[in-house]
Amino acid sequence: MRRLLLTLLVALGLPAAAQDSERPAVLVADDLFITRDRELVAQGNVEAFQGTTRIRASAIRYNDETGALVIEGPIVLNDGDGTVILADAAELDQGLQNGLLRGARMVLNQQVQMAAVQIDRVEGRYSQLYKTAVTSCKTCNDGELPLWQIRARRVVHDTEAQQLYFDDATFHIRSVPVFYLPRLRLPDPTLDRADGFLAPSIRTTSLLGTGLKLPYFITLGESRDLTLTPYLSSSTRTLEFRYRQAFTNGDIEFDGAYTRDDQLPDETRGYLFGEGSFELERGYKLSFTIEAVSDSSYFTEYGYSDEDRLRSDLTLSRARRDSFVRTSLYNFETLRPGELNSTLPTVVIDGEFERRFFPKAWGGELRFGLEAHSHWRSSDVDVIGRDVSRINGSLKYLRRFTHRSGLVTDAQVGTTFNFFDITQDDTFAQNHSDIAPFAAVGLSYPMARREAGGASQVLTPVVQLGWTDGSRLDIPNEESTRVEFDQGNILSLSRFPRPDRRERGTTAAVAVNWSRFDPNGWDTYVAVGQVFRSISDPAFTDTSGLSGVRSDVLLAGQIKNNAGLSLTARTLVDSDFDISKAELRGGWSFGKTTVEGTYVWLEADTEEDRTEAISEVSLDGSYDINKQWSASADVRYDVQNSTAATAGLGLTYNNECVSVDLSVRRRYTSSTSVEPSTDIGFNIGLRGFSASNGTERYERSCGK
């Protein structure tokens, strides 16, 4: 009650103002008295407020004539904008906006701290710090120096511009001065974007030597920015760039590089990647992608991308509850050895439309689809320069019946119509068309079981009979050269990936799905399936698992638990128990360790341009040594040829004030355009001078 009374008395005794920025100071204290010199003295747990500024001290003296405040420490001044000042003593004006603080320390956004002999506050906007040490490392009272600090004769903090200006600045690692700058400007931690240098990095490769990357960030208004990164070494002179712009209905981004180097001394090299998307009226979305590079070995030598086929596209689409429409223009470029862009479809136009109807008269769903496609080769040579255009449509009716016994019946009936135009190939007629009606009925009987421990099991046998009329048109296989037989298409009437091919005749698919869900432990899923057909389809390759009148047996499964283990596997087994394809993916997170891996087996198949079998293992993992240190490693190993393809090691250190990343990567493979190489990367960054350092904070306790 006494503290409340004193608060009201002091508030009434100070001049009032109409604006919030000029609101009177409010003083709260345990004891209050007035001296003979008309000074108001507050002692004991003193707190003063003015606008968003708040100050705590052991004693405050207020002069009624001058409006000045003399404050005895320890003092804690909070500006309300993330800035905290600690001081031994201070003299401030009535609004706490101007004055002098001695033995002060300023903390910005709980990240950067600046210790100074004296701080002058000017107009509430500027703070001038003299004989200052600046760091984002946590400092303790044990006398140990921070990992790094910037010492300066004077530092000016502009709260409105959110900038720090240094005079006669020296960068120190512990007590060792590293370099000197007469003038230095850095953003304070509350600033999201500002012109200036970003963290540099060092890259060493066996092809390009040791080089330095020094990025410079340029703001071009509130919605645009540009980052320029010179990359200089003994063998290359490269300028990297990134341009970003945001619009009210979308955004764009372009990344690229311009290079002159010793690898191709007489040529200009580089790349350009771009992407963007825009939300248009009536629910339409426009997106684009640009991928271009000067030569096939550029990405491998500079490490900008792992792509070996580039795709640029322009797409307009709209998705609604019962309709979808899309039209796309693509341009492809291959970087693979042995492939020629002139004999590959490089320009592709593709579009699709689908609409669903739900007739109330007879129930079910009526679905209409239309797809148009055209691809073009630049070669004028007959056969190898073949160009193809097609239009494919479908109309089908789907209906599901759920019986009282639990049996589920899925029925569909419809037809497809197809038109093809083939040019620049004298071995095929130019125009082709057909109509192919189809029908299918599927039966499934899901059965569930609840265990005493809370786990549940679901067993679902499935049988489907399908029929597609007509004979396949005499057209080349341009798009369905790679077929995958998996759980996603076992019940499809056609398992070809594109509509230029369609299975014909009568087919039967049999599958069993079993799953077990345990909220306290293991979750398991297993699927087994096989397809039977009345006539074999020669378009299916031997390793597709679908050749002949009886397919290979599809086995697929997944196991995962709450301890971080996850395994997914899929394989195809023929009647002789030979495996044509197998894939295993897994991951395990335990304690401080995370391990992930993949194994792939593909049998040799000349029809899929695979002259020898592929057996490959990929492993990568990471280990958190402690809160600051972490290590990582990855390897890709060719089991078939008993050679490593790539291998890498990484070591990372992070604390509250610095981040360091060291990586070593070796590529063992070679081709006509690239050689084996070793890359070493080193990055170091100072934390605290940006609001976008990431959400993760690394804190250190004193004495640990």
Side-chain angles (χ1 to χ4, degrees):
M1 187 68 173
R2 185 166 180 263
R3 289 173 62 88
L4 175 61
L5 178 60
L6 292 175
T7 301
L8 294 175
L9 289 174
V10 175
L12 292 174
L14 297 177
Q19 302 298 326
D20 181 71
S21 60
E22 300 176 355
R23 287 186 302 176
V26 178
L27 201 62
V28 180
D30 290 334
D31 295 306
L32 182 68
F33 58 91
I34 300 176
T35 67
R36 294 179 179 178
D37 298 329
R38 300 290 298 171
E39 281 190 344
L40 180 65
V41 180
Q43 294 179 335
N45 298 318
V46 181
E47 294 189 35
F49 306 85
Q50 205 283 331
T52 59
T53 304
R54 177 176 180 175
I55 189 169
R56 298 196 305 269
S58 59
I60 293 180
R61 295 177 177 272
Y62 171 70
N63 190 301
D64 186 39
E65 295 180 358
T66 64
L69 294 173
V70 177
I71 308 171
E72 299 177 5
I75 302 169
V76 179
L77 175 62
N78 193 325
D79 274 355
D81 59 357
T83 300
V84 178
I85 298 177
L86 311 175
D88 297 330
E91 296 179 7
L92 300 172
D93 65 3
Q94 174 184 323
L96 308 180
Q97 302 297 302
N98 299 277
L100 173 68
L101 297 96
R102 292 181 293 274
R105 175 175 297 178
M106 178 181 292
V107 182
L108 304 178
N109 203 32
Q110 300 182 6
Q111 296 184 53
V112 175
Q113 53 183 311
M114 300 181 288
V117 175
Q118 175 181 313
I119 298 180
D120 290 346
R121 287 177 59 83
V122 181
E123 299 176 358
R125 171 179 174 177
Y126 302 99
S127 294
Q128 299 186 71
L129 297 86
Y130 296 92
K131 296 183 179 180
T132 310
V134 181
T135 184
S136 60
C137 301
K138 188 168 185 176
T139 57
C140 303
N141 294 324
D142 54 5
E144 182 181 357
L145 293 173
L147 179 62
W148 67 265
Q149 59 179 318
I150 301 174
R151 297 179 182 177
R153 178 178 57 84
R154 186 183 71 155
V155 177
V156 177
H157 178 218
D158 187 340
T159 57
E160 184 174 313
Q162 299 171 288
Q163 297 285 335
L164 294 169
Y165 302 92
F166 296 75
D167 293 338
D168 297 327
T170 306
F171 184 82
H172 290 247
I173 297 179
R174 295 297 186 185
S175 60
V176 180
V178 178
F179 59 84
Y180 166 80
L181 291 173
R183 296 289 186 272
L184 175 65
R185 178 181 59 84
L186 292 173
D188 78 10
T190 62
L191 184 60
D192 292 324
R193 302 164 66 247
D195 294 352
F197 289 100
L198 304 179
S201 62
I202 298 174
R203 182 173 185 257
T204 299
T205 76
S206 57
L207 297 176
L208 303 175
T210 300
L212 174 67
K213 293 186 178 183
L214 186 59
Y216 189 83
F217 184 82
I218 305 171
T219 58
L220 303 173
E222 296 183 355
S223 60
R224 296 179 297 166
D225 59 56
L226 174 66
T227 304
L228 299 176
T229 306
Y231 171 31
L232 301 176
S233 76
S234 58
S235 299
T236 184
R237 294 157 301 282
T238 297
L239 179 63
E240 303 172 4
F241 64 87
R242 184 193 68 181
Y243 176 79
R244 302 184 300 180
Q245 183 169 357
F247 302 88
T248 56
N249 62 334
D251 58 80
I252 60 173
E253 179 175 337
F254 291 92
D255 297 84
Y258 174 85
T259 295
R260 302 285 292 186
D261 60 20
D262 296 344
Q263 301 298 311
L264 298 175
D266 298 327
E267 297 185 17
T268 297
R269 311 178 72 190
Y271 84 100
L272 176 65
F273 278 8
E275 62 180 6
S277 62
F278 298 90
E279 300 292 338
L280 306 181
E281 296 181 354
R282 301 175 60 188
Y284 284 96
K285 181 178 180 179
L286 178 67
S287 62
F288 71 87
T289 302
I290 297 174
E291 295 182 353
V293 68
S294 59
D295 54 87
S296 59
S297 60
Y298 186 78
F299 284 151
T300 304
E301 294 174 3
Y302 284 83
Y304 292 126
S305 174
D306 294 327
E307 298 286 344
D308 58 2
R309 279 181 176 169
L310 305 182
R311 188 189 79 172
S312 301
D313 68 80
L314 179 65
T315 298
L316 179 66
S317 64
R318 184 179 70 178
R320 290 184 172 179
R321 181 180 181 274
D322 297 324
S323 66
F324 176 76
V325 60
R326 176 190 61 84
T327 180
S328 301
L329 173 64
Y330 300 94
N331 182 80
F332 294 93
E333 179 183 0
T334 182
L335 306 178
R336 298 180 180 181
E339 291 186 347
L340 299 176
N341 285 297
S342 61
T343 60
L344 294 176
T346 53
V347 178
V348 177
I349 300 176
D350 197 81
E352 60 181 317
F353 170 78
E354 189 170 56
R355 181 68 186 271
R356 302 191 306 169
F357 304 91
F358 299 91
K360 297 182 179 179
W362 60 83
E365 177 185 340
L366 186 64
R367 188 176 298 180
F368 173 73
L370 190 65
E371 182 174 340
H373 173 91
S374 178
H375 59 256
W376 174 81
R377 293 175 170 89
S378 60
S379 174
D380 295 330
V381 180
D382 191 49
V383 181
I384 64 174
R386 179 193 308 122
D387 302 323
V388 176
S389 299
R390 60 174 173 82
I391 296 177
N392 307 93
S394 66
L395 180 65
K396 59 183 175 181
Y397 173 74
L398 303 95
R399 184 73 184 271
R400 167 170 287 191
F401 303 91
T402 302
H403 307 279
R404 289 186 176 181
S405 62
L407 181 69
V408 178
T409 302
D410 288 290
Q412 59 175 305
V413 62
T415 185
T416 64
F417 49 93
N418 311 280
F419 304 92
F420 294 86
D421 182 82
I422 302 172
T423 58
Q424 208 163 273
D425 189 341
D426 291 341
T427 61
F428 293 94
Q430 180 174 351
N431 297 313
H432 304 261
S433 62
D434 74 341
I435 296 177
F438 62 86
V441 58
L443 302 174
S444 61
Y445 192 73
M447 295 172 284
R449 175 188 175 187
R450 177 75 65 175
E451 298 179 9
S456 61
Q457 300 184 39
V458 178
L459 178 67
T460 307
V462 180
V463 177
Q464 178 180 276
L465 296 176
W467 165 82
T468 302
D469 192 25
S471 300
R472 178 170 297 131
L473 297 173
D474 184 21
I475 58 175
N477 187 357
E478 288 278 276
E479 304 174 62
S480 297
T481 57
R482 304 291 186 271
V483 179
E484 289 292 330
F485 179 34
D486 55 27
Q487 310 94 294
N489 61 14
I490 190 171
L491 299 180
S492 299
L493 287 178
S494 179
R495 293 159 190 87
F496 289 104
R498 301 290 284 172
D500 64 332
R501 283 287 187 275
R502 177 172 289 274
E503 294 183 54
R504 307 287 176 154
T506 303
T507 61
V510 180
V512 177
N513 298 318
W514 175 79
S515 58
R516 182 180 184 272
F517 303 97
D518 187 348
N520 302 315
W522 296 83
D523 290 345
T524 309
Y525 168 79
V526 176
V528 182
Q530 192 171 18
V531 176
F532 305 87
R533 56 174 56 86
S534 59
I535 55 175
S536 62
D537 195 322
F540 288 124
T541 64
D542 292 337
T543 59
S544 68
L546 293 166
S547 61
V549 296
R550 182 175 59 184
S551 75
D552 293 349
V553 177
L554 169 66
L555 299 175
Q558 184 182 60
I559 299 175
K560 61 180 181 179
N561 65 8
N562 296 335
L565 176 65
S566 176
L567 291 174
T568 302
R570 178 172 63 96
T571 187
L572 298 175
V573 182
D574 63 15
S575 57
D576 297 327
F577 296 98
D578 291 330
I579 296 176
S580 60
K581 291 182 179 181
E583 181 182 16
L584 175 65
R585 297 178 181 271
W588 190 17
S589 298
F590 56 99
K592 299 180 179 181
T593 305
T594 299
V595 179
E596 296 180 347
T598 301
Y599 173 74
V600 175
W601 160 259
L602 296 175
E603 197 176 48
D605 191 340
T606 56
E607 296 183 61
E608 294 188 0
D609 299 326
R610 195 166 53 250
T611 56
E612 61 179 23
I614 295 177
S615 180
E616 189 174 275
V617 174
S618 297
L619 294 172
D620 62 84
S622 62
Y623 176 71
D624 295 330
I625 302 172
N626 53 38
K627 192 173 182 180
Q628 285 79 36
W629 288 95
S630 64
S632 62
D634 65 88
V635 62
R636 186 162 59 91
Y637 187 79
D638 187 346
V639 180
Q640 181 69 17
N641 298 313
S642 301
T643 58
T646 60
L649 293 173
L651 186 64
T652 302
Y653 176 81
N654 285 288
N655 68 7
E656 78 281 0
C657 62
V658 68
S659 62
V660 181
D661 179 59
L662 175 65
S663 63
V664 180
R665 174 163 294 277
R666 174 68 177 174
R667 181 177 50 80
Y668 297 91
T669 57
S670 62
S671 65
T672 56
S673 58
V674 295
E675 300 176 358
S677 64
T678 301
D679 294 356
I680 301 175
F682 180 72
N683 297 280
I684 183 169
L686 303 181
R687 294 179 176 270
F689 291 102
S690 173
S692 57
N693 281 334
T695 57
E696 188 173 10
R697 293 282 184 89
Y698 298 85
E699 296 183 356
R700 176 173 59 88
S701 299
C702 292
K704 295 184 180 179

